[in-house]
Amino acid sequence: MEITNINTFLDYYGKIRERTNLLIAVIPPEYMDWAYRPGKFTIADQIRHIAAIERYMFAETILGNPCSYSGCGKELANGYNEVIGYFNEKHEETLAILKKFGNDDLQRKCLTPANTPITVWKWLRAMTEHEIHHRAQLYIYLNLLDVKTPPMFGLSSEEIIQNSRLK
């Protein structure tokens, strides 16, 4: 998918974030610090990571600045409301940056943290893929905890099978 229009991208990215927000909304506060194994990201770490990478890696590098991501620990936000607030705040900061971009900016090059040049639109596509990747991890975490999660597109797999004509 090539991104050629910033407003079309922002609309698409908004829909990606809506699905992430629907999932985050079902997380019981008492599970925020849960991880499937010691030393692995907790649920809160996953949420802080999406936020911090979006703002301090993706947004900074498309501005031409070096990456300033420094992790996703509790020092950024601790507790359910604080983590959700941080998540929303960093997203709004990133959107404010992106809304200043024109379509021509999408064709510029930026440098990844590995000093690899990449076209801005490709970097924005990677930002979207990054969020989707971590949202999938959150689905797995919540399923391990027996938390009912929202279906991605309105129906669960079982409901699709039930409604299928090819039974």
Side-chain angles (χ1 to χ4, degrees):
M1 175 182 131
E2 183 175 354
I3 302 165
T4 58
N5 183 290
I6 191 65
N7 291 322
T8 302
F9 171 74
L10 289 170
D11 181 58
Y12 169 73
Y13 195 48
K15 290 173 182 154
I16 296 295
R17 182 49 61 101
E18 284 175 20
R19 289 194 286 278
T20 303
N21 283 335
L22 284 173
L23 180 62
I24 288 173
V26 303
I27 299 170
E30 64 270 20
Y31 289 141
M32 288 298 273
D33 290 326
W34 183 85
Y36 67 93
R37 181 183 302 157
K40 297 296 184 180
F41 276 4
T42 65
I43 289 173
D45 290 337
Q46 294 274 3
I47 296 168
R48 287 186 296 256
H49 177 72
I50 294 169
I53 283 283
E54 176 190 53
R55 176 61 187 85
Y56 297 116
M57 185 181 80
F58 288 105
E60 285 302 315
T61 55
I62 66 169
L63 285 171
N65 299 328
C67 172
S68 57
Y69 175 76
S70 62
C72 58
K74 287 183 176 185
E75 68 280 357
L76 298 175
N78 191 14
Y80 185 84
N81 291 330
E82 292 79 11
V83 170
I84 303 306
Y86 179 79
F87 182 74
N88 292 326
E89 176 185 300
K90 296 304 148 194
H91 183 62
E92 288 304 317
E93 289 175 13
T94 300
L95 289 179
I97 291 165
L98 294 176
K99 287 176 181 176
K100 294 178 184 173
F101 274 58
N103 295 337
D104 291 343
D105 292 313
L106 297 171
Q107 301 305 319
R108 285 191 297 100
K109 294 282 187 184
C110 62
L111 285 177
T112 69
N115 267 341
T116 304
I118 188 170
T119 308
V120 166
W121 73 262
K122 290 179 181 177
W123 198 229
L124 292 176
R125 183 179 62 192
M127 179 177 74
T128 305
E129 292 170 359
H130 179 263
E131 179 164 330
I132 293 166
H133 159 74
H134 285 287
R135 183 175 65 212
Q137 290 178 322
L138 287 169
Y139 267 104
I140 292 168
Y141 277 37
L142 293 172
N143 279 291
L144 289 170
L145 293 166
D146 289 324
V147 174
K148 184 168 172 40
T149 57
M152 180 102 37
F153 298 109
L155 294 175
S156 68
S157 174
E158 295 79 13
E159 291 167 328
I160 293 169
I161 291 168
Q162 183 179 16
N163 294 343
S164 176
R165 293 185 218 201
L166 302 173
K167 292 181 187 176

